[in-house]
Amino acid sequence: MAYLEVRNISKRFGGLKALSDVDMSVEKGEIFGLMGANGAGKTTLFSVIAGHVAPSAGEVHFNGQRITGLSPSRICRAGICRTFQIVRPFAGLSVEENVRVAALFGSGRKRTRVEQARSVDAALESVGLSGHRAGLAGGLTLSGQKRLEIARALATGAELVMLDEVMAGLNPTEIAEMLETLGRLRREHGLTFVIVEHVIGALMSLSDRILVLHHGERIAFGTPEEIGANAHVEEVYFG
Ligand SMILES: Nc1ncnc2c1ncn2[C@@H]1O[C@H](COP(=O)(O)OP(=O)(O)OP(=O)(O)O)[C@@H](O)[C@H]1O
Ligand SMILES: [Mg+2]
């Protein structure tokens, strides 16, 4: 069984089928890209995996454990954390306090206070926010807030991190820095990432494999080269 195994996941919102029978397998240490036009079901799939939305059908397994139906905090403690497409830090708390809250959220992993403090420092350092730790989270630029989202996910102690459009709205320099950060996190910490990104160049250069969703259905899967050469993907995604 793969590290993260999504089997036959469907999700209905009333009459709308946001996900139809979606399968996805992610291997440990890979960067797995999820692509699709607006409304394709990408965020819904993240929410199902992270336990924020209950699927109408299907199962999710992580690290050999069935996690379907567990609460987001239990799933976080199992080792999966996601960021939110719309960043939502505690704007009135400092950058460091935001990351500390996340570290506490992961505290069911039986980490000592010292280990938690260390994970806060390491998370801030790895996204380049150490110098901003005392400032208010609400005072960060968009790029800073995206980095804070990632730091919060890391500080929970998660081993698989799902990033929902962390490059949206960033300028080319900030995107290049983000690519560098994510590549380094994988190399140095052995983290596994599932990333949703409309910045296609970034998605293609980072991902080992890419799954394409369209209206909730899986329409293509393969290496970035295979996806780039797929005529059906080009038609539905690039129009
Ligand atoms: N809580 C909800 N209630 C009702 N419909 C929802 C809900 N969440 C998502 N949807 C619908 O499900 C479909 C998939 O939405 P989702 O947010 O997963 O798409 P997405 O691929 O993340 O799109 P985007 O690229 O715009 O972020 C859309 O039609 C959306 O309107
Ligand atoms: Mg989305």
Side-chain angles (χ1 to χ4, degrees), residues 61-180:
H61 294 253
F62 176 64
N63 225 348
Q65 182 192 358
R66 185 179 187 275
I67 58 168
T68 338
L70 298 184
S71 66
S73 61
R74 293 274 306 278
I75 292 174
C76 175
R77 283 160 203 177
I80 298 184
C81 192
R82 57 92 64 94
T83 66
F84 288 90
Q85 185 169 352
I86 311 296
V87 292
R88 42 186 191 192
F90 299 107
L93 294 185
S94 74
V95 168
E96 178 178 340
E97 284 164 341
N98 266 273
V99 180
R100 284 224 306 266
V101 171
L104 271 177
F105 191 66
S107 65
R109 300 165 69 84
K110 305 219 181 336
R111 295 185 300 176
T112 62
R113 278 174 167 275
V114 174
E115 282 166 338
Q116 278 177 37
R118 210 177 286 142
S119 77
V120 170
D121 290 343
L124 285 167
E125 176 71 33
S126 59
V127 301
L129 282 178
S130 296
H132 298 269
R133 60 195 303 155
L136 285 183
L140 290 173
T141 61
L142 177 65
S143 164
Q145 296 201 9
K146 298 274 189 184
R147 286 173 175 277
L148 177 56
E149 275 284 298
I150 299 175
R152 292 175 63 186
L154 297 176
T156 65
E159 281 145 24
L160 185 150
V161 180
M162 300 191 289
L163 303 176
D164 200 350
E165 301 201 25
V166 292
M167 298 188 220
L170 304 193
N171 68 37
T173 311
E174 292 165 339
I175 288 173
E177 286 167 2
M178 191 64 91
L179 289 174
E180 198 276 319

Side-chain angles (χ1 to χ4, degrees), residues 49-60:
I49 295 169
H52 294 102
V53 160
S56 311
E59 293 190 355
V60 182

Side-chain angles (χ1 to χ4, degrees), residues 26-37:
V26 179
E27 300 298 340
K28 194 168 168 63
E30 94 170 309
I31 298 185
F32 190 98
L34 197 53
M35 183 176 150

